[in-house]
Amino acid sequence: MDTGRLPLFCFFVALIAAFLFTRVNVRLIRARVGWFGNVNVGEMHIHHVVFGVVLTLLGGVSGLIVSGVSDGWYAVTAAVFGVGAALILDEFALILHLRDVYWEEEGRASVDAVFIAVAITGLLLLGLRPLGWGDSDGTPLGAWLTAGFIVVNLGLAVITLLKGKLWTGLAGLFLPVLLVPGALRLARPGSPWAHWFLAPGARRPRPHKLARAERREERWRRPVIRAKIAFQEFLSGRHDLPSTRRRSRR
């Protein structure tokens, strides 16, 4: 409370709790346990992203109203916003693909989106500022140096993300020292950077670098990805198995 981060903390807790509750609920629906079932209006299935949009708008607008009136109510509205954000991000893959891929391979994008939101919010709670943002010393030179530092970090972050290093790029937004090796090292083989500068279709293809990137991916990256998927499936369920009720999600 002394740091003024109580609303952010309430958002953080609500985001995690709502995501876990939602995943438990949909897994019970998928397993056809007890009274758990889909929300339907006639023949229309109502996805929980709809409730997420409503809660996000409610929490966001209410927060704008009460932010300068009551810290307690501001924290409550932040928690409502967090619940809505969890419901939306849990169906991020549906929004991305414009079809219900909840239990398909593409559905893992939703879990990744939640993990990213939790990680970024956690870093903000620790007091870290993105891109090395900080107050200058008040002089024109200090302001230019601060702005230049932020622009350089942003450029390195963009290069790192284009090279397919998502977590390095996101962590580097708060720990800029990570962006230097992320931007300088070899791109991942399936990344936009590899497609533009390494692949056979590039203007100046570099097959030897692409082959080295593929060997590195197979040796080091694949085990990490398998461990990440195992942890995701422990929390959210398998995304590559058919549903017990038709081909749809639950």
Side-chain angles (χ1 to χ4, degrees):
M1 294 179 66
D2 293 338
T3 62
R5 301 189 196 119
L6 178 61
L8 185 62
F9 176 75
C10 291
F11 169 85
F12 181 72
V13 173
L15 176 69
I16 296 176
F19 170 70
L20 294 176
F21 176 82
T22 302
R23 280 288 166 167
V24 169
N25 184 59
V26 296
R27 291 177 73 175
L28 290 174
I29 293 174
R30 190 187 195 193
R32 306 175 71 175
V33 174
W35 55 271
F36 293 91
N38 293 320
V39 177
N40 297 296
V41 177
E43 296 295 325
M44 180 183 297
H45 167 61
I46 307 298
H47 292 269
H48 51 263
V49 65
V50 176
F51 301 101
V53 170
V54 173
L55 289 175
T56 300
L57 287 172
L58 179 63
V61 174
S62 300
L64 293 174
I65 296 173
V66 304
S67 60
V69 178
S70 168
D71 291 339
W73 281 111
Y74 189 25
V76 171
T77 59
V80 174
F81 191 87
V83 173
L87 295 176
I88 292 174
L89 292 175
D90 189 56
E91 294 202 306
F92 172 78
L94 181 150
I95 301 171
L96 181 64
H97 295 279
L98 293 180
R99 59 188 179 90
D100 193 353
V101 294
Y102 198 86
W103 291 121
E104 299 177 20
E105 285 284 346
E106 297 92 335
R108 289 197 177 104
S110 298
V111 187
D112 286 331
V114 174
F115 281 13
I116 290 171
V118 170
I120 291 177
T121 308
L123 292 172
L124 290 171
L125 271 175
L126 294 176
L128 298 177
R129 297 184 178 185
L131 299 174
W133 180 273
D135 297 329
S136 67
D137 56 7
T139 65
L141 178 60
W144 279 108
L145 289 175
T146 300
F149 185 64
I150 293 172
V151 169
V152 170
N153 286 340
L154 181 60
L156 293 174
V158 170
I159 294 174
T160 302
L161 293 172
L162 288 176
K163 287 190 171 184
K165 303 169 185 179
L166 177 62
W167 286 103
T168 302
L170 292 175
L173 293 176
F174 297 88
L175 301 171
V177 67
L178 298 176
L179 295 175
V180 176
L184 294 179
R185 296 193 68 187
L186 200 60
R188 295 185 61 193
S191 65
W193 191 276
H195 177 73
W196 294 337
F197 300 106
L198 304 179
R203 178 173 298 180
R204 296 180 60 186
R206 296 173 174 84
H208 61 288
K209 284 192 174 183
L210 183 61
R212 185 153 57 94
E214 291 173 346
R215 289 195 300 270
R216 180 180 296 176
E217 184 84 3
E218 187 64 31
R219 182 177 182 181
W220 301 107
R221 184 70 180 175
R222 297 297 181 191
V224 174
I225 293 176
R226 285 195 291 268
K228 184 197 76 168
I229 291 175
F231 179 67
Q232 286 182 340
E233 291 179 345
F234 172 75
L235 291 178
S236 59
R238 292 286 298 272
H239 286 79
D240 56 351
L241 294 177
S243 174
T244 57
R245 297 182 66 180
R246 299 191 301 267
R247 178 178 162 75
S248 80
R249 115 172 21 175
R250 314 192 250 287

